[in-house]
Amino acid sequence: MIRHLFIIIVFISLLMGSTGCRQQEQRPEPKYLFLFIGDGMGVAQVNLAEAYLAVIHGEKGFEQLSFSGFPVSGLVRTYADNRFITCSAAAGTAFATGYKTNIGHIATDTSGQVPYKSIATICKEHGMKTGILTSVSLDHATPAVFYAHQPSRDNYFEIGMELAGSDFDFFAGGGFKEPDGVFNGKQANAIDAARENGFTYVNTPEGFGSLDTVTGKVIAVHPDLLPSGAMPYVIDNPGSPSLADFTAMAIKHLDNKDGFFMMVEGGKIDWACHSKDAASSIQETIAFSEAVQAAIDFYQKHPEETLILVTADHETGGLALGAQETGYNSFYTYLQYQDISVERFNEVLAVFGRQLTGNETSDRESLLTLVDNHFGLGSKIPITEQDKSVIWEAFEQSLKGKNQQETVYTEYPTITETVISMVSSKSGVGWTTFKHTGINIPIYALGPGAERFTGVIDNTDIPRIMEELMGFDNEAAE
């Protein structure tokens, strides 16, 4: 009797094990892979956008972004090989290749000489199509780590030429920061080189509309690029083509039976936070969320084959939902009155400065009106006479060229810093730095294999897990 019972137990165990193996074998591998990177987007940036949406819609708490309701979420460690607080190049290299590197390196080892393959390149080698999208320039650090290898992120021209020589299928969003330079001893232009390599370059609505799946390799850039090669801030140009528009365009172009890999960067979240510009950060985060929604719409048609990851390279600004001035109170509705980015306000101030009358009383009132018109300080956000004096004194300092505040991506006068800081503090938003911070950043996952991205992981784990899920061996070292 005992022997028969033992045989039955063994048989059941083998049967369950066999069933488990079959179930494991049948688990679908992702065929369509989206990696969204909100540059500089920590948990606080997500929460601020959610809290803002809730309060302007008359709700309490948070209104979820498209990705913050994903069934799986976790945290990611971001440190670089040679510094605790990372940069976009080192962090990007980690989640593109699976390897840590030094600050400023683009998909190379710590010497800057040995190249690493990115997950995008590996997917391309396995017959998948590849797309790289960003709201900043295409030769910037985060997009660059997926197709280029350079010892310095500042080698914009060299990075652009690597893009031009690549066999990736779709680049979109921003343009080139430094398209011109000397290549192989001759003057060259990255856009011309890309055309020679078979890319179709489009930067008009008509050009966008002409694209289809048989167009071939494409570079589709925003029609109103800034001098930096980046797309305009959403707050400055709300009606223009958006990151969501380019994401939908990329999906249409890349969709095929062999699958695709797509990286989409919301790069100007970081830029806004470098300037402590809360309102612009919110609008860029919402635009980023809308781009993710385009991928979710695709996922709903292919739920068993589509994996969507949303993460960041680091947090920027030390953003906090709380400020000393307001105590425990929050006034996020104030942020809706700002209609201009710090970068654009600098341009407006330059024009204003040329129109001064020399009459201090008149000029002071004109300045306060200008600030009120663009930030709501005065008519919509209560300010004191002391606040008005602080604004005018900051402007006088700016006229003298004193106390210029230089951030990573812009330099602006004391008056701009004063105004933008006042908007934040009166809204209940705090900042600790104009730089990056070293805190863990969030990751959100949806689709087959999403459960692998829960808990606390390292940024180098992200591409390695993606490779495993797609059935590829680790191939990052060239």
Side-chain angles (χ1 to χ4, degrees):
M1 180 67 180
I2 294 175
R3 181 183 177 188
H4 289 165
L5 180 61
F6 175 76
I7 292 173
I8 291 172
I9 292 172
V10 170
F11 177 76
I12 292 173
S13 298
L14 290 172
L15 181 62
M16 291 179 66
S18 176
T19 302
C21 290
R22 287 199 301 271
Q23 287 176 343
Q24 187 174 12
E25 290 171 0
Q26 293 172 356
R27 189 178 76 175
E29 295 177 350
K31 181 177 177 181
Y32 308 104
L33 185 56
F34 293 89
L35 176 59
F36 286 88
I37 300 167
D39 198 317
M41 187 187 75
V43 173
Q45 280 78 4
V46 174
N47 285 171
L48 180 59
E50 292 176 319
Y52 170 82
L53 287 172
V55 73
I56 65 170
H57 293 151
E59 302 169 0
K60 295 180 180 179
F62 301 100
E63 180 178 313
Q64 283 188 337
L65 299 177
S66 63
F67 55 85
S68 52
F70 279 8
V72 174
S73 63
L75 292 171
V76 181
R77 296 183 293 265
T78 66
Y79 65 93
D81 189 84
N82 66 333
R83 196 173 75 191
F84 180 71
I85 297 178
T86 192
C87 74
S88 293
T93 295
F95 54 56
T97 72
Y99 290 94
K100 297 281 187 184
T101 193
N102 288 353
I103 297 299
H105 291 185
I106 299 293
T108 71
D109 72 344
T110 56
S111 73
Q113 302 303 312
V114 179
Y116 293 138
K117 283 185 184 179
S118 73
I119 182 67
T121 298
I122 293 168
C123 287
K124 183 66 180 176
E125 291 176 348
H126 283 268
M128 301 169 68
K129 288 192 174 183
T130 49
I132 305 296
L133 291 74
T134 181
S135 59
V136 297
S137 63
L138 290 165
D139 50 12
H140 225 259
T142 302
V145 296
F146 289 91
Y147 65 82
H149 307 89
Q150 291 290 327
S152 173
R153 60 177 292 173
D154 294 332
N155 294 348
Y156 294 106
F157 171 69
E158 291 78 7
I159 291 169
M161 291 300 290
E162 288 199 66
L163 184 157
S166 78
D167 61 353
F168 283 16
D169 300 278
F170 198 87
F171 291 93
F176 295 84
K177 179 178 173 64
E178 294 181 9
D180 298 302
V182 177
F183 187 72
N184 290 336
K186 296 180 180 180
Q187 195 67 31
N189 176 275
I191 298 172
D192 292 339
R195 288 191 174 112
E196 291 172 6
N197 189 31
F199 279 98
T200 296
Y201 180 90
V202 293
N203 63 347
T204 65
E206 295 76 21
F208 301 151
S210 69
L211 299 176
D212 55 36
T213 54
V214 298
T215 302
K217 298 188 296 185
V218 169
I219 301 174
V221 306
H222 196 281
D224 301 311
L225 294 177
L226 299 175
S228 63
M231 290 170 54
Y233 279 102
V234 173
I235 200 169
D236 295 330
N237 208 347
S240 67
S242 67
L243 193 61
D245 293 332
F246 284 117
T247 303
M249 195 186 307
I251 291 171
K252 181 179 178 181
H253 189 79
L254 297 176
D255 190 10
N256 74 103
K257 63 181 180 61
D258 296 317
F260 60 73
F261 170 89
M262 187 188 308
M263 190 287 294
V264 183
E265 181 200 19
K268 301 199 80 169
I269 301 171
D270 173 69
W271 290 23
C273 292
H274 273 297
S275 298
K276 299 185 180 180
D277 187 345
S280 293
S281 169
I282 288 170
Q283 295 304 321
E284 293 299 320
T285 304
I286 293 171
F288 178 70
S289 172
E290 291 169 350
V292 177
Q293 184 60 52
I296 294 171
D297 294 342
F298 180 85
Y299 164 87
Q300 291 172 343
K301 299 174 184 176
H302 310 276
E304 298 300 317
E305 300 176 301
T306 304
L307 174 63
I308 304 174
L309 302 177
V310 181
T311 187
D313 47 2
H314 51 72
E315 192 274 345
T316 301
L319 176 63
L321 275 65
Q324 181 69 28
E325 181 173 339
T326 59
Y328 292 109
N329 295 309
S330 303
F331 303 98
Y332 302 136
T333 52
Y334 289 170
L335 296 168
Q336 69 183 308
Y337 304 128
Q338 181 178 331
D339 67 358
I340 195 170
S341 70
V342 161
E343 187 174 324
R344 179 75 182 109
F345 186 59
N346 288 341
E347 298 172 6
V348 171
L349 277 172
V351 174
F352 176 80
R354 293 192 293 269
Q355 298 173 344
L356 294 173
T357 66
N359 183 306
E360 181 174 325
T361 300
S362 174
D363 290 340
R364 185 175 188 271
E365 289 305 313
S366 295
L367 175 66
L368 292 172
T369 298
L370 180 72
V371 169
D372 192 4
N373 288 341
H374 287 299
F375 297 93
L377 285 168
S379 63
K380 299 180 179 69
I381 304 174
I383 59 174
T384 65
E385 289 301 318
Q386 177 63 28
D387 291 330
K388 294 177 183 179
S389 296
V390 168
I391 292 171
W392 176 249
E393 289 169 8
F395 182 66
E396 287 186 311
Q397 290 295 316
S398 299
L399 288 177
K400 297 174 183 177
K402 295 181 179 179
N403 300 323
Q404 298 283 327
Q405 175 61 55
E406 184 174 355
T407 71
V408 174
Y409 297 114
T410 188
E411 180 179 315
Y412 56 85
T414 303
I415 174 61
T416 304
E417 181 188 358
T418 297
V419 168
I420 205 69
S421 296
M422 192 174 291
V423 171
S424 285
S425 61
K426 290 186 178 297
S427 301
V429 175
W431 302 91
T432 66
T433 179
F434 288 100
K435 308 294 185 180
H436 301 168
T437 65
I439 64 172
N440 292 348
I441 48 88
I443 187 168
Y444 309 86
L446 174 68
E451 70 281 355
R452 295 287 304 279
F453 298 92
T454 192
V456 180
I457 62 176
D458 195 80
N459 52 12
T460 56
D461 294 327
I462 294 173
R464 295 176 185 273
I465 295 172
M466 286 192 283
E467 286 184 58
E468 291 176 14
L469 292 173
M470 302 181 80
F472 305 154
D473 294 329
N474 184 271
E475 305 172 14
E478 290 191 336

